[in-house]
Amino acid sequence: MKKALSGLRAWTVQRFTAIYMLLAFLFAFVHFAWNAPHGFEAWRAWIGGPFVRIATLLFFVALLLHTWVGLRDVMMDYIKPLALRVALLALLGFYLVGMAAWVMRILLLL
């Protein structure tokens, strides 16, 4: 029962993050189709607004969660030696945490 719930949880995270990222891409596409920033300062003003900054942060959280769940499941399915799997999952986790810190730094310095 617990393994089935874990699979359902991973499936749900994958779907919700994919839907959020799709909606964010559609929003950005529509926005840039009608009101594209014409220069660095216009781009910085747009991305620095509170709504867009929070939406961008949520986009990257969704992207990192989506990446973690997908790659974790692939590694769990196809990498059989436990020590290698744990080492690769730890490396992936450190990499994704580093990417999250980098995104936070960029968004906070705007």
Side-chain angles (χ1 to χ4, degrees):
M1 180 74 173
K2 185 178 180 184
K3 193 169 187 162
L5 287 177
S6 174
L8 178 62
R9 189 175 311 127
W11 182 87
T12 305
V13 168
Q14 285 285 100
R15 295 314 170 262
F16 279 120
T17 56
I19 290 168
Y20 181 79
M21 289 187 295
L22 175 66
L23 292 174
F25 274 124
L26 290 174
F27 169 75
F29 179 77
V30 168
H31 174 75
F32 292 138
W34 275 294
N35 190 17
H38 299 290
F40 177 73
E41 289 305 320
W43 169 263
R44 189 172 185 196
W46 180 74
I47 199 81
F51 171 75
V52 176
R53 188 180 290 194
I54 291 170
T56 304
L57 177 64
L58 289 176
F59 174 84
F60 280 104
V61 167
L63 179 66
L64 295 172
L65 278 172
H66 192 86
T67 303
W68 169 254
V69 171
L71 289 176
R72 180 197 60 138
D73 286 352
V74 168
M75 287 183 190
M76 288 174 58
D77 287 345
Y78 293 107
I79 299 174
K80 296 304 177 191
L82 182 61
L84 179 61
R85 184 182 335 147
V86 169
L88 289 175
L89 285 171
L91 284 173
L92 176 63
F94 286 131
Y95 175 76
L96 292 176
V97 167
M99 293 300 292
W102 184 53
V103 167
M104 289 293 294
R105 181 175 179 261
I106 289 170
L107 290 176
L108 291 175
L109 291 177
L110 282 176

